[in-house]
Amino acid sequence: MSMFTHMLAILFGMGSWVSINGLWVELPLIVPQIPEGWYLPSYLSVLIQMANVGPLFVTLMHRFRPGALNETFVIYVIIILGTVASFLLGFFWKETVLVAGVPRSLALLVLTFFLAAVDCISSVTFLPFMMRLQPQYLTTYFIGEGVSGLLPALVALIQGVGVVHCINTTQSMNHTINTSNSAGNYDLQAQYQPSNFSAEVFFFFLSAMMLVCLVAFLLLNHHPAVVREHPNPRYTNGTNENSQSRRTWAEQRPMMDPFRHQNHKSRNSFGTGSYSWMQVVYIFVILAWVNALSNTVLPSVQSYSCLPYGNNAYHLSATLAAVSNPLACFIAIFVSIRSLVFLGFLTVLGTGIGSYIMLMAALSPCPLLAEDTSGAAVMVLAWIFFILSLSYVKVIIGVILRDEGHSALVWCGAVVQLGSLLGAVTMFPLVSVYSLFSSGDPCNTSCP
């Protein structure tokens, strides 16, 4: 396989969620400078779920008007929109306007909605587009999708986002922290360290990443070395094809597996009919479940599960978990186990690890082994293996559905977004409304 095409697939996949992932890791730097404060994450969660109207529209179009939607054109539009929105954030993220007499970061919220729409729609357009390439490139695309979370996290680490130092301050009447040390004259106060470069520079970096994704997409469509690798002439974008033939291709089932017996009888009307309806439901339920856990449920409590063990544990967990995603995709290139039983086992394993993480978050600010170095080590390893196991499940399901055809990948993206939506709807009231989780103070929490 062409290394050049592999690199383009990675860069293309990198643009899928890089904007929203980057916005999340930049929150510690943004929040102190806007009127919404730490209510901003809750607003972002609502905006991202509102943006799911985009993938819903695309999925319904594929279902009821097959081939009517120009997939390539939609991808160009959303990548350009993501590039422009990220660029504008660099200028306007701190700007406020009065809404009902209250200052609001309207520009930040509106541009964030556009970025969320871009990333949500990418789930139901980028994956189906990969049908135009050889099957091996789909796993490479998933590596790029994992890098979309890793790269902003690494840049944020270099930037110094969220680095907290505990300093002794003289206690006064208006001091916000009431816990004092044994001497009674001093207590510890958490202070965020200044960043190495501004949020504006970070947003320009995100815009550049989206621009790189746009260039990669252009080359995947038009570079001769890539076009020659299209598995079927119908998959190309050459001028000799008319739009009707492309629309016809869009919803066609792929050719039958050459290793399958010619007299093989389809078990249902989904894809190639390789799986029974019960197996199809099983695959999609697992897909929705693992995306709910890994995209919204556990990330919403990551700070509660890790910060009681120290800032180093939190940053290590966030960074190494981001590394685990592309690592799982890389492993899937060489070890691709499509057994549905094995996928079920990994899902149960990941769910078990996630349950431990959720339990520690619920026990915050004093979880098990909070004062012990081994507690931090266990938590970091838990996050690594949680993301590693569930990311592998997602990749293998993507590979399975790729063989079932274009429509299967559209539904794959839709179910990914559905799972994430259900997870967000479940966790939002628990975290933001009922406040069932407590983070404690990073410098003054004392556990028995």
Coordinates of all heavy atoms in Angstrom, one line a residue, residues 296-373:
T296 N -18.3 10.6 26.1 CA -19.1 11.5 26.9 C -19.1 11.1 28.4 O -18.8 11.9 29.3 CB -20.5 11.7 26.4 OG1 -21.1 10.5 26.2 CG2 -20.5 12.5 25.1
V297 N -19.5 9.8 28.7 CA -19.7 9.5 30.1 C -18.5 9.6 30.9 O -18.5 10.3 31.9 CB -20.3 8.0 30.1 CG1 -20.4 7.6 31.6 CG2 -21.7 8.0 29.5
L298 N -17.4 8.9 30.6 CA -16.2 8.9 31.4 C -15.4 10.2 31.2 O -14.9 10.7 32.2 CB -15.3 7.7 31.0 CG -15.6 6.4 31.9 CD1 -15.3 6.7 33.4 CD2 -17.0 5.9 31.7
P299 N -15.3 10.8 30.0 CA -14.6 12.1 30.0 C -15.3 13.2 30.8 O -14.6 14.1 31.3 CB -14.7 12.5 28.5 CG -14.7 11.2 27.8 CD -15.6 10.3 28.7
S300 N -16.6 13.1 31.0 CA -17.2 14.1 31.8 C -16.8 14.1 33.3 O -17.0 15.0 34.1 CB -18.8 14.0 31.7 OG -19.2 12.8 32.3
V301 N -16.3 12.9 33.7 CA -15.9 12.8 35.1 C -14.3 12.6 35.3 O -13.9 12.2 36.3 CB -16.6 11.7 35.9 CG1 -18.1 11.9 35.9 CG2 -16.3 10.3 35.2
Q302 N -13.6 12.8 34.2 CA -12.2 12.5 34.2 C -11.5 13.4 35.3 O -10.6 12.9 36.0 CB -11.5 12.8 32.8 CG -10.0 12.4 32.8 CD -9.5 12.4 31.4 OE1 -10.0 13.2 30.6 NE2 -8.5 11.6 31.2
S303 N -11.8 14.6 35.4 CA -11.1 15.5 36.4 C -11.4 15.0 37.8 O -10.6 15.0 38.7 CB -11.6 16.9 36.2 OG -12.9 17.1 36.4
Y304 N -12.7 14.6 38.0 CA -13.1 14.1 39.4 C -12.3 12.8 39.7 O -12.0 12.5 40.9 CB -14.6 13.8 39.4 CG -15.4 15.1 39.2 CD1 -16.1 15.2 38.0 CD2 -15.5 16.1 40.1 CE1 -16.8 16.4 37.7 CE2 -16.3 17.2 39.9 CZ -16.9 17.3 38.7 OH -17.7 18.5 38.4
S305 N -12.1 11.9 38.7 CA -11.4 10.7 39.0 C -9.9 10.8 39.1 O -9.3 10.0 39.8 CB -11.7 9.7 37.8 OG -11.1 10.1 36.6
C306 N -9.3 11.8 38.5 CA -7.9 11.9 38.5 C -7.3 13.0 39.5 O -6.2 12.8 40.1 CB -7.4 12.2 37.1 SG -7.8 10.9 35.9
L307 N -7.9 14.1 39.6 CA -7.3 15.2 40.3 C -7.1 14.9 41.8 O -6.1 15.4 42.4 CB -8.2 16.5 40.2 CG -8.0 17.3 38.9 CD1 -9.0 18.5 38.9 CD2 -6.6 17.8 38.8
P308 N -7.9 14.1 42.5 CA -7.6 13.7 43.9 C -6.2 13.0 44.0 O -5.6 13.0 45.1 CB -8.7 12.7 44.3 CG -9.8 13.1 43.4 CD -9.2 13.5 42.1
Y309 N -5.7 12.5 42.9 CA -4.4 11.8 43.0 C -3.2 12.8 42.6 O -2.1 12.4 42.5 CB -4.3 10.6 42.0 CG -5.3 9.5 42.4 CD1 -6.5 9.4 41.7 CD2 -5.1 8.7 43.5 CE1 -7.5 8.4 42.1 CE2 -6.0 7.7 43.8 CZ -7.2 7.6 43.1 OH -8.1 6.6 43.5
G310 N -3.6 14.0 42.3 CA -2.6 15.0 42.0 C -2.7 15.5 40.5 O -3.2 14.8 39.7
N311 N -2.1 16.6 40.3 CA -2.1 17.2 38.9 C -1.3 16.4 37.9 O -1.7 16.3 36.7 CB -1.6 18.6 38.9 CG -2.6 19.6 39.5 OD1 -3.7 19.8 39.0 ND2 -2.2 20.2 40.6
N312 N -0.2 15.8 38.4 CA 0.6 14.9 37.5 C -0.2 13.7 37.0 O -0.2 13.3 35.9 CB 1.9 14.5 38.2 CG 2.9 15.6 38.3 OD1 2.8 16.6 37.6 ND2 3.7 15.5 39.3
A313 N -1.0 13.1 38.0 CA -1.8 12.0 37.6 C -2.9 12.4 36.6 O -3.2 11.7 35.6 CB -2.5 11.4 38.8
Y314 N -3.5 13.6 36.8 CA -4.5 14.1 35.8 C -3.9 14.3 34.4 O -4.5 13.8 33.4 CB -5.1 15.4 36.4 CG -6.1 16.0 35.4 CD1 -7.3 15.4 35.1 CD2 -5.8 17.2 34.8 CE1 -8.2 16.0 34.2 CE2 -6.6 17.8 33.9 CZ -7.8 17.2 33.6 OH -8.7 17.8 32.7
H315 N -2.8 15.0 34.3 CA -2.2 15.3 33.0 C -1.7 14.0 32.4 O -1.8 13.8 31.1 CB -1.1 16.3 33.2 CG -1.5 17.7 33.4 ND1 -2.2 18.4 32.5 CD2 -1.5 18.5 34.5 CE1 -2.5 19.6 33.0 NE2 -2.1 19.6 34.2
L316 N -1.1 13.1 33.1 CA -0.7 11.8 32.6 C -1.9 11.0 32.1 O -1.8 10.4 31.0 CB 0.1 11.0 33.6 CG 1.6 11.3 33.8 CD1 2.1 10.5 35.0 CD2 2.3 11.0 32.5
S317 N -2.9 11.0 32.8 CA -4.1 10.2 32.4 C -4.7 10.8 31.1 O -5.0 10.0 30.2 CB -5.2 10.2 33.5 OG -4.7 9.6 34.6
A318 N -4.8 12.1 31.0 CA -5.4 12.8 29.8 C -4.5 12.5 28.6 O -5.0 12.2 27.5 CB -5.6 14.2 30.1
T319 N -3.2 12.7 28.8 CA -2.3 12.6 27.7 C -2.1 11.1 27.2 O -2.2 10.8 26.0 CB -0.9 13.1 28.0 OG1 -1.0 14.5 28.5 CG2 0.1 13.1 26.8
L320 N -1.9 10.2 28.1 CA -1.7 8.8 27.7 C -3.0 8.2 27.2 O -3.0 7.3 26.4 CB -1.2 8.0 28.9 CG 0.3 8.4 29.4 CD1 0.7 7.6 30.5 CD2 1.2 8.3 28.2
A321 N -4.2 8.6 27.7 CA -5.4 8.2 27.2 C -5.6 8.6 25.7 O -6.0 7.9 24.9 CB -6.6 8.7 28.0
A322 N -5.1 9.8 25.5 CA -5.2 10.3 24.1 C -4.2 9.6 23.2 O -4.5 9.3 22.0 CB -4.8 11.8 24.1
V323 N -3.1 9.1 23.7 CA -2.1 8.3 23.0 C -2.7 6.9 22.7 O -2.5 6.3 21.7 CB -0.8 8.2 23.7 CG1 0.1 7.2 23.1 CG2 -0.1 9.5 23.8
S324 N -3.5 6.4 23.7 CA -4.0 5.0 23.5 C -5.0 4.9 22.4 O -5.1 3.8 21.8 CB -4.8 4.7 24.8 OG -3.9 4.7 25.9
N325 N -5.7 5.9 22.0 CA -6.6 5.8 20.9 C -5.9 5.5 19.6 O -6.2 4.5 18.9 CB -7.4 7.2 20.8 CG -8.6 7.0 19.8 OD1 -8.5 6.4 18.8 ND2 -9.7 7.7 20.2
P326 N -4.9 6.3 19.1 CA -4.2 6.0 17.9 C -3.4 4.7 18.0 O -3.2 4.0 17.0 CB -3.3 7.2 17.6 CG -3.2 7.9 18.8 CD -4.5 7.7 19.6
L327 N -3.0 4.4 19.2 CA -2.2 3.1 19.4 C -3.1 1.9 19.2 O -2.7 0.9 18.5 CB -1.7 3.1 20.9 CG -0.9 1.8 21.3 CD1 0.3 1.6 20.4 CD2 -0.5 1.8 22.7
A328 N -4.3 2.0 19.6 CA -5.3 0.9 19.4 C -5.5 0.7 17.9 O -5.6 -0.4 17.4 CB -6.6 1.1 20.1
C329 N -5.6 1.8 17.2 CA -5.8 1.8 15.7 C -4.6 1.2 15.0 O -4.7 0.4 14.1 CB -6.1 3.2 15.2 SG -7.5 4.0 15.9
F330 N -3.4 1.5 15.5 CA -2.1 1.0 15.0 C -2.1 -0.5 15.2 O -1.7 -1.3 14.3 CB -0.9 1.7 15.6 CG 0.4 1.3 15.0 CD1 0.8 1.8 13.8 CD2 1.2 0.4 15.7 CE1 2.0 1.4 13.2 CE2 2.5 0.1 15.1 CZ 2.8 0.6 13.9
I331 N -2.5 -1.0 16.4 CA -2.5 -2.4 16.7 C -3.4 -3.1 15.7 O -3.2 -4.2 15.3 CB -2.9 -2.6 18.1 CG1 -1.8 -2.1 19.1 CG2 -3.1 -4.1 18.4 CD1 -2.2 -2.1 20.6
A332 N -4.6 -2.5 15.5 CA -5.6 -3.1 14.6 C -5.1 -3.3 13.2 O -5.6 -4.2 12.4 CB -6.9 -2.3 14.6
I333 N -4.1 -2.6 12.7 CA -3.5 -2.8 11.4 C -2.9 -4.2 11.3 O -3.0 -4.8 10.3 CB -2.4 -1.7 11.1 CG1 -3.1 -0.3 11.0 CG2 -1.7 -2.0 9.8 CD1 -2.1 0.8 10.7
F334 N -2.2 -4.6 12.4 CA -1.5 -5.9 12.3 C -2.3 -7.0 13.0 O -2.1 -8.2 12.6 CB -0.1 -5.7 13.0 CG 0.7 -4.6 12.5 CD1 0.7 -3.3 13.1 CD2 1.4 -4.8 11.3 CE1 1.5 -2.3 12.5 CE2 2.2 -3.8 10.8 CZ 2.2 -2.5 11.4
V335 N -3.1 -6.7 14.0 CA -3.9 -7.7 14.6 C -5.4 -7.3 14.6 O -5.9 -6.5 15.4 CB -3.5 -7.9 16.1 CG1 -4.3 -9.0 16.8 CG2 -2.0 -8.1 16.2
S336 N -6.0 -7.8 13.6 CA -7.5 -7.5 13.3 C -8.3 -8.7 13.6 O -8.5 -9.6 12.8 CB -7.7 -7.0 11.9 OG -9.0 -6.6 11.7
I337 N -8.9 -8.8 14.8 CA -9.7 -9.9 15.3 C -11.2 -9.5 15.1 O -11.7 -8.6 15.9 CB -9.4 -10.3 16.7 CG1 -7.9 -10.6 16.8 CG2 -10.2 -11.5 17.1 CD1 -7.4 -10.9 18.2
R338 N -11.9 -10.1 14.2 CA -13.3 -9.7 13.9 C -14.3 -10.5 14.7 O -15.5 -10.3 14.4 CB -13.6 -9.7 12.4 CG -12.7 -8.9 11.6 CD -13.2 -8.8 10.2 NE -12.3 -8.0 9.3 CZ -12.7 -7.5 8.1 NH1 -13.9 -7.8 7.7 NH2 -11.9 -6.9 7.4
S339 N -13.9 -11.4 15.5 CA -14.8 -12.2 16.3 C -15.8 -11.3 17.1 O -15.3 -10.5 17.9 CB -14.0 -13.2 17.2 OG -14.9 -13.7 18.1
L340 N -17.1 -11.5 16.9 CA -18.0 -10.8 17.7 C -18.0 -11.1 19.2 O -18.2 -10.3 20.0 CB -19.4 -11.0 17.1 CG -19.7 -10.6 15.7 CD1 -21.2 -10.8 15.3 CD2 -19.3 -9.2 15.4
V341 N -17.6 -12.4 19.5 CA -17.4 -12.8 20.9 C -16.3 -12.0 21.5 O -16.4 -11.5 22.6 CB -17.2 -14.3 21.0 CG1 -16.9 -14.7 22.4 CG2 -18.4 -15.0 20.5
F342 N -15.2 -11.9 20.8 CA -14.0 -11.1 21.3 C -14.3 -9.7 21.5 O -13.9 -9.1 22.4 CB -12.8 -11.3 20.3 CG -11.6 -10.6 20.8 CD1 -10.9 -11.1 21.9 CD2 -11.1 -9.5 20.1 CE1 -9.7 -10.5 22.3 CE2 -9.9 -8.9 20.6 CZ -9.2 -9.4 21.7
L343 N -15.1 -9.1 20.5 CA -15.5 -7.7 20.7 C -16.4 -7.5 21.9 O -16.2 -6.5 22.6 CB -16.2 -7.2 19.4 CG -15.4 -7.1 18.1 CD1 -16.3 -6.6 17.0 CD2 -14.2 -6.2 18.3
G344 N -17.2 -8.5 22.2 CA -18.1 -8.5 23.4 C -17.2 -8.5 24.6 O -17.5 -7.8 25.6
F345 N -16.2 -9.4 24.6 CA -15.3 -9.5 25.8 C -14.6 -8.2 26.0 O -14.5 -7.8 27.2 CB -14.3 -10.7 25.5 CG -13.1 -10.7 26.5 CD1 -13.3 -11.1 27.7 CD2 -11.9 -10.2 26.1 CE1 -12.2 -11.1 28.7 CE2 -10.8 -10.2 27.0 CZ -11.0 -10.7 28.3
L346 N -14.0 -7.6 25.0 CA -13.3 -6.3 25.2 C -14.3 -5.2 25.7 O -13.9 -4.4 26.5 CB -12.7 -5.9 23.8 CG -11.4 -6.6 23.4 CD1 -10.8 -5.9 22.1 CD2 -10.3 -6.5 24.5
T347 N -15.5 -5.3 25.2 CA -16.5 -4.3 25.7 C -16.8 -4.5 27.1 O -16.8 -3.5 27.9 CB -17.8 -4.4 24.9 OG1 -17.5 -4.2 23.5 CG2 -18.8 -3.4 25.3
V348 N -16.9 -5.7 27.6 CA -17.1 -6.0 29.0 C -15.9 -5.6 29.8 O -16.1 -5.0 30.9 CB -17.5 -7.5 29.2 CG1 -17.5 -7.8 30.7 CG2 -18.8 -7.8 28.6
L349 N -14.7 -5.9 29.3 CA -13.5 -5.5 30.0 C -13.4 -4.0 30.1 O -13.1 -3.4 31.2 CB -12.3 -6.0 29.2 CG -10.9 -5.6 29.8 CD1 -10.7 -6.2 31.2 CD2 -9.8 -6.1 28.8
G350 N -13.6 -3.2 29.0 CA -13.6 -1.8 29.1 C -14.6 -1.2 30.0 O -14.4 -0.2 30.7
T351 N -15.8 -1.8 30.0 CA -16.9 -1.3 30.9 C -16.5 -1.5 32.3 O -16.8 -0.7 33.2 CB -18.2 -2.1 30.5 OG1 -18.5 -1.9 29.2 CG2 -19.3 -1.6 31.4
G352 N -15.9 -2.7 32.6 CA -15.5 -2.9 34.0 C -14.4 -1.9 34.5 O -14.5 -1.4 35.6
I353 N -13.5 -1.6 33.6 CA -12.5 -0.6 34.0 C -13.1 0.8 34.1 O -12.8 1.5 35.0 CB -11.4 -0.5 32.9 CG1 -10.6 -1.9 32.8 CG2 -10.4 0.6 33.2 CD1 -9.6 -2.0 31.7
G354 N -14.1 1.1 33.2 CA -14.8 2.3 33.3 C -15.6 2.4 34.6 O -15.7 3.5 35.1
S355 N -16.1 1.3 35.0 CA -16.9 1.3 36.3 C -16.0 1.7 37.5 O -16.4 2.4 38.4 CB -17.5 -0.1 36.5 OG -18.4 -0.4 35.5
Y356 N -14.8 1.2 37.5 CA -13.8 1.5 38.5 C -13.5 3.0 38.5 O -13.5 3.7 39.5 CB -12.5 0.8 38.3 CG -11.4 1.2 39.2 CD1 -11.3 0.8 40.6 CD2 -10.4 2.1 38.8 CE1 -10.3 1.3 41.4 CE2 -9.4 2.5 39.6 CZ -9.3 2.1 40.9 OH -8.3 2.6 41.8
I357 N -13.3 3.6 37.3 CA -13.0 5.0 37.1 C -14.2 5.8 37.6 O -14.1 6.8 38.4 CB -12.7 5.4 35.7 CG1 -11.4 4.7 35.2 CG2 -12.7 6.9 35.5 CD1 -11.2 4.8 33.7
M358 N -15.5 5.4 37.3 CA -16.7 6.1 37.7 C -16.8 6.0 39.2 O -17.2 7.0 39.9 CB -17.9 5.5 37.0 CG -19.2 6.2 37.4 SD -19.3 7.9 36.8 CE -19.5 7.6 35.1
L359 N -16.5 4.9 39.8 CA -16.6 4.7 41.3 C -15.6 5.7 42.0 O -16.0 6.4 43.0 CB -16.3 3.3 41.7 CG -16.2 3.0 43.2 CD1 -17.6 3.3 43.8 CD2 -15.8 1.6 43.5
M360 N -14.4 5.8 41.5 CA -13.4 6.7 42.1 C -13.8 8.2 41.9 O -13.6 9.0 42.8 CB -12.0 6.5 41.4 CG -11.4 5.1 41.6 SD -11.2 4.7 43.4 CE -12.6 3.5 43.6
A361 N -14.5 8.5 40.8 CA -15.0 9.8 40.6 C -16.1 10.1 41.6 O -16.2 11.3 42.1 CB -15.5 10.0 39.2
A362 N -16.9 9.1 41.9 CA -18.0 9.3 42.8 C -17.5 9.5 44.2 O -18.1 10.2 45.0 CB -19.0 8.1 42.8
L363 N -16.3 8.9 44.5 CA -15.7 9.0 45.9 C -14.9 10.2 46.0 O -14.4 10.5 47.1 CB -14.9 7.8 46.2 CG -15.6 6.4 46.3 CD1 -14.7 5.3 46.5 CD2 -16.6 6.5 47.4
S364 N -14.7 11.0 44.9 CA -13.9 12.2 45.0 C -14.5 13.2 46.0 O -15.7 13.3 46.1 CB -13.8 12.8 43.6 OG -13.2 14.1 43.6
P365 N -13.7 13.9 46.7 CA -12.3 14.1 46.6 C -11.4 13.1 47.4 O -10.2 13.3 47.5 CB -12.1 15.5 47.2 CG -13.1 15.6 48.2 CD -14.3 14.9 47.7
C366 N -12.0 12.1 47.9 CA -11.2 11.1 48.7 C -11.4 9.7 48.2 O -12.1 8.9 48.9 CB -11.6 11.2 50.2 SG -11.0 12.8 51.0
P367 N -11.0 9.3 47.0 CA -11.2 8.0 46.5 C -10.2 7.0 47.1 O -9.4 7.4 48.0 CB -10.8 8.1 45.0 CG -9.9 9.2 45.0 CD -10.3 10.2 46.1
L368 N -10.3 5.8 46.8 CA -9.3 4.8 47.3 C -7.9 5.1 47.0 O -7.6 5.6 45.9 CB -9.7 3.4 46.7 CG -11.1 2.8 47.0 CD1 -11.3 1.5 46.4 CD2 -11.3 2.7 48.5
L369 N -7.0 4.9 47.9 CA -5.6 5.1 47.8 C -5.2 6.5 47.3 O -4.3 6.8 46.6 CB -5.0 4.1 46.7 CG -5.2 2.6 47.0 CD1 -4.7 1.8 45.8 CD2 -4.5 2.2 48.3
A370 N -6.0 7.5 47.8 CA -5.8 8.9 47.4 C -4.5 9.4 47.9 O -3.9 10.3 47.2 CB -6.9 9.8 47.9
E371 N -4.0 9.0 49.0 CA -2.7 9.5 49.6 C -1.6 8.6 49.2 O -0.5 8.8 49.7 CB -2.9 9.6 51.1 CG -4.0 10.4 51.6 CD -3.8 11.9 51.3 OE1 -2.7 12.3 51.1 OE2 -4.8 12.6 51.2
D372 N -1.8 7.6 48.3 CA -0.8 6.6 48.0 C -0.4 6.8 46.5 O -1.2 7.0 45.7 CB -1.3 5.2 48.3 CG -0.2 4.2 48.4 OD1 0.8 4.3 47.6 OD2 -0.2 3.3 49.2
T373 N 0.9 6.6 46.3 CA 1.4 6.7 44.9 C 0.8 5.6 44.0 O 0.5 5.8 42.8 CB 2.9 6.6 44.8 OG1 3.5 7.6 45.7 CG2 3.5 6.9 43.4

